[in-house]
Amino acid sequence: APSIRLSPAARSLFDEPLAIAVQGLGPRQQVTLRTSLRDETGELFQASARYQAGDDGELDLARCPALPGGSFSGLEPMGLLWALQPQKPFWRLVKRDVQSPFLLQLEVFEGHGERPGQLLAQAQHERAFLRDGVRRVPVREGRIRATLFLPP
């Protein structure tokens, strides 16, 4: 059965690269990958891309270019993250609480149709804003308003 392989596996910092691969596909199988996340206000952001697996049934986004027809095309290993678009026009991704991560959903669908085909695999990944152990200290001194981030 197809599966999604992520590196780092379960959690990464928001500005760190995320390696995405799908294994267990058929040789040269056509699939659509979709990412989605909800911001703090509950608004949905999504991106999708069309791919074709290699002769060995592997799909590594660092080596396989996205085919035309999705949110982007070409060799874009992080395209499924930077191409996230809101369902509401002109909406911006809102993040006020940096202590909680975004939960990214990844899905692999069969084929390249306008409507998603059969769901083949799915995974979740946390995109965090603070490394483990970092302390967030609010600073209020006179007219100064700031936040101090202290490493472990």
Side-chain angles (χ1 to χ4, degrees):
S3 63
I4 300 172
R5 188 178 69 239
L6 303 171
S7 181
R11 183 181 174 104
S12 62
L13 290 177
F14 198 77
D15 60 350
E16 283 181 336
L18 176 63
I20 303 170
V22 181
Q23 52 198 38
L25 297 170
R28 307 193 58 75
Q29 183 176 357
Q30 294 187 342
V31 293
T32 300
L33 274 65
R34 181 172 69 190
T35 52
S36 55
L37 67 78
R38 291 194 180 273
D39 72 1
E40 290 176 334
T41 66
E43 284 305 313
L44 180 65
F45 289 72
Q46 288 187 319
S48 66
R50 297 173 175 183
Y51 289 96
Q52 181 171 308
D55 292 331
D56 57 358
E58 296 273 328
L59 174 62
D60 184 347
L61 273 56
R63 292 180 299 175
C64 297
L67 304 172
S71 301
F72 61 93
S73 62
L75 189 60
E76 298 286 349
M78 294 285 292
L80 286 168
L81 280 77
W82 64 250
L84 286 164
Q85 291 292 315
Q87 298 299 293
K88 262 188 190 174
F90 309 112
W91 198 261
R92 295 200 184 271
L93 191 62
V94 174
K95 187 63 175 158
R96 291 192 174 95
D97 179 11
V98 296
Q99 296 180 86
S100 66
F102 276 133
L103 184 60
L104 183 69
Q105 304 279 348
L106 292 102
E107 298 168 305
V108 180
F109 295 98
E110 191 171 15
H112 287 167
E114 284 302 311
R115 297 182 153 212
Q118 177 185 352
L119 179 64
L120 301 175
Q122 59 185 346
Q124 291 184 341
H125 186 81
E126 288 185 353
R127 296 290 280 176
F129 289 82
L130 294 179
R131 187 172 303 281
D132 291 339
V134 172
R135 285 189 311 132
R136 182 181 184 276
V137 181
V139 176
R140 304 283 183 256
E141 188 69 38
R143 294 175 35 190
I144 296 173
R145 302 288 180 265
T147 303
L148 175 63
F149 293 92
L150 295 171

